[in-house]
Amino acid sequence: MGNIMTTILAIDYGQKKIGLAVGQMITQTAQPLDVIFIKGDFWLKINKIFKEWQPAAVVIGEPKLADDTPHPLEKLIESFIFELKKRYNVKIYRENEAFTSFEASQYHTGANYNKPVDAHAAAIILESWMRANHA
C-alpha cells in the first residue's frame, strides 16, 4: 500500500447479508458503513460503494471452526471473492473473524443500537487486520 491515506473496504460475509465498513490506513480506524442483503442485484449496491469510496483493497472476514475444518460459508466466500476481483480488480486480504460477531454485539448498545451488527463486525475485522499488518 503506497498511499497512507488509502481507503480499505471490509466485508463481513454472511449467508443472507454482508456487513460493510471502511477504514483509513493513516488513522487505522474503521467505521461501520452499511449492510446489504444478498438478493436481487445486490451488486448494484456494491458498485455504488466502490464508486463512492474507491477502496485500494478489500479485507474479508475468514470464519474459522474450532477444529480447523473449512467453514460451511467458505465456498460462498471464495466465489464472492472471485467475483470481486473480476469486477473491481482489487487486492483482497483475509482476516480471521473469530469473536467479531460477539464483539460487535457487545458494541451494539445505546447510541450505536441503530447501526447494524454486521457492519460493526466488518469494522472490527478491518481494525484487527490493520493492527496486524500495518502497526
Side-chain angles (χ1 to χ4, degrees):
M1 305 272 130
N3 186 351
I4 55 171
M5 290 298 287
T6 301
T7 298
I8 310 290
L9 179 70
I11 297 175
D12 179 32
Y13 189 94
Q15 213 162 350
K16 293 184 171 67
K17 57 192 173 179
I18 56 178
L20 299 155
V22 290
Q24 294 295 330
M25 289 306 297
I26 194 166
T27 58
Q28 297 214 352
T29 56
Q31 65 188 56
L33 196 57
D34 201 359
V35 169
I36 294 176
F37 287 86
I38 302 174
K39 62 178 189 215
D41 198 355
F42 71 97
W43 284 106
L44 289 175
K45 292 178 180 171
I46 294 175
N47 283 341
K48 213 169 134 185
I49 285 164
F50 267 81
K51 202 171 192 167
E52 182 180 346
W53 293 96
Q54 299 181 357
V58 176
V59 175
I60 297 183
E62 186 172 19
K64 297 270 191 202
L65 294 178
D67 65 0
D68 266 353
T69 57
H71 192 278
L73 275 179
E74 193 55 36
K75 288 239 183 302
L76 289 172
I77 294 170
E78 283 173 14
S79 60
F80 181 72
I81 288 171
F82 177 81
E83 195 62 33
L84 278 176
K85 285 179 177 174
K86 197 169 82 178
R87 287 171 182 260
Y88 309 108
N89 190 26
V90 68
K91 194 138 183 62
I92 310 267
Y93 299 94
R94 301 295 301 274
E95 179 67 19
N96 184 347
E97 64 173 49
F99 314 119
T100 53
S101 294
F102 175 76
E103 253 184 86
S105 67
Q106 300 298 299
Y107 184 78
H108 197 244
T109 57
N112 297 308
Y113 190 73
N114 292 326
K115 293 184 179 149
V117 170
D118 306 88
H120 284 293
I124 292 165
I125 289 166
L126 182 51
E127 287 183 348
S128 168
W129 179 83
M130 287 190 289
R131 277 195 306 272
N133 293 282
H134 299 278

